[in-house]
Amino acid sequence: MFHYTVETDKGLEEAVQSLEASLKEEKFGVLWNFDLKGKLNEKGLDFDQDFRILEVCNPKEAQRVLSQNTLAGYFLPCKMVVYDDKGTTKIGMPKPSALIEMVEDEDIHAIAEDIEKRLMECMDKSV
């Protein structure tokens, strides 16, 4: 699977706050918390599903990856989503290890796997 997704009993806002706190403990900052539903509604488009897109980054890890291969920058910052799926709040992300496969550089695959593991732990703590 190219993604990792978990379910939570928390509401969307509470899940976002919990995820942000877990990420902060791992030294990942949230650069952007984009309210997709709000933006589409603002533009006059009908979209009723609560859907947040978070762009997250650990500067030390970003520097480490980009120093190895600048093409990895195409996948930065990492994207995470929190959304309502028919009454169930889900937290998900594309797996960094799956994305980095496209770069075809074995040297940074281990870095991507480490980052992926840490982000998955943040998600698991947030449920």
Side-chain angles (χ1 to χ4, degrees):
M1 289 210 137
F2 82 94
H3 68 95
Y4 181 72
T5 303
V6 295
E7 294 181 0
T8 179
D9 292 331
K10 295 177 180 172
L12 187 112
E13 291 298 330
E14 185 181 3
V16 169
Q17 290 173 3
S18 181
L19 180 59
E20 287 178 338
S22 294
L23 289 165
K24 188 174 184 179
E25 289 175 17
E26 271 299 319
K27 300 190 177 13
F28 283 87
V30 176
L31 305 174
W32 194 32
N33 179 338
F34 181 65
D35 177 2
L36 183 63
K37 175 185 172 181
K39 181 55 78 176
L40 292 175
N41 290 171
E42 176 186 306
K43 299 294 182 183
L45 300 169
D46 186 30
F47 189 79
D48 293 329
Q49 183 181 13
D50 286 321
F51 200 103
R52 296 289 180 85
I53 303 168
L54 282 66
E55 291 194 338
V56 305
C57 184
N58 176 312
K60 182 179 175 184
E61 297 298 350
Q63 184 270 337
R64 194 171 123 190
V65 168
L66 290 169
S67 294
Q68 288 288 326
N69 190 321
T70 54
L71 289 177
Y74 284 45
F75 308 116
L76 298 178
C78 294
K79 294 234 186 318
M80 301 182 93
V81 296
V82 181
Y83 61 100
D84 176 72
D85 184 19
K86 301 174 187 161
T88 301
T89 302
K90 294 186 177 181
I91 303 169
M93 70 171 183
K95 290 181 177 179
S97 64
L99 295 173
I100 214 68
E101 287 290 327
M102 291 185 261
V103 177
E104 299 178 356
D105 182 340
E106 202 54 42
D107 294 335
I108 60 173
H109 197 267
I111 298 170
E113 286 180 340
D114 175 58
I115 291 167
E116 178 178 303
K117 178 180 178 253
R118 291 165 46 205
L119 291 175
M120 288 168 66
E121 287 172 0
C122 289
M123 291 169 61
D124 292 340
K125 281 189 214 175
S126 300
V127 298

